[in-house]
Amino acid sequence: MVYDGCRALDGVCDHQPSPVAKRRLLVVDDDTGDLYLAKRGFEEDGFEVETFRAYTEQDLANFVEEIVTGSYDLILLDTMVGLLYGPTDIVNTIKSSGIDVPYIGWTGTPNPEHDTKWREAGARDVMIKPNNRSGYPDLGTRIRSHLSCHCKKP
């Protein structure tokens, strides 16, 4: 069976759904306003949310420590985090650390080229940041669908 993220391409999943529980998200961004809005929006939609502000390569060591100690179900990574490019700089740091946490690209400016880079880097999805809290329930539904089973990419 071939899997695409946590969805079986043939529409059949042989894994059992995860138990319903409050899911822990880590939102990584360089903009404090976006972090604040994401925290409020996702918490109102039933998630437990931590935020991490990153800007430089120096921040990546702290980022790795945060995801190792935080027990997150999913990470939302901004495409441009200060001087860092999410699909390469941050994802490479995650992969080289041996951390197995699914991640989703998170962007304020949709760009098909960035979407392709995210997919090539193994992101489960690419989402556009909402301008207000009313957009978070839709994103929450999409995140829950990615976390609905334990399927892994081969």
Side-chain angles (χ1 to χ4, degrees), residues 11-44:
V12 177
C13 175
D14 59 357
H15 293 84
Q16 295 299 314
S18 300
V20 176
K22 194 171 230 185
R23 299 306 197 125
R24 284 181 49 87
L25 304 180
L26 176 64
V27 181
V28 181
D29 207 307
D30 60 337
D31 184 289
T32 54
D34 287 343
L35 290 171
Y36 174 79
L37 188 61
K39 183 169 179 62
R40 297 259 330 256
F42 284 123
E43 284 178 346
E44 288 175 5

Side-chain angles (χ1 to χ4, degrees), residues 67-107:
I67 57 177
V68 166
T69 61
S71 299
Y72 297 102
D73 295 302
L74 188 128
I75 303 171
L76 289 172
L77 298 170
D78 189 16
T79 299
M80 291 302 303
V81 182
L83 303 174
L84 305 170
Y85 185 56
T88 55
D89 298 327
I90 299 174
V91 169
N92 288 342
T93 298
I94 293 171
K95 288 179 179 178
S96 68
S97 300
I99 298 165
D100 186 23
V101 177
Y103 50 90
I104 289 176
W106 176 247
T107 184

Side-chain angles (χ1 to χ4, degrees), residues 46-62:
F47 290 94
E48 185 178 330
V49 182
E50 296 295 327
T51 61
F52 186 87
R53 185 175 184 273
Y55 196 81
T56 66
E57 286 186 28
Q58 182 118 13
D59 296 328
L60 290 181
N62 296 332

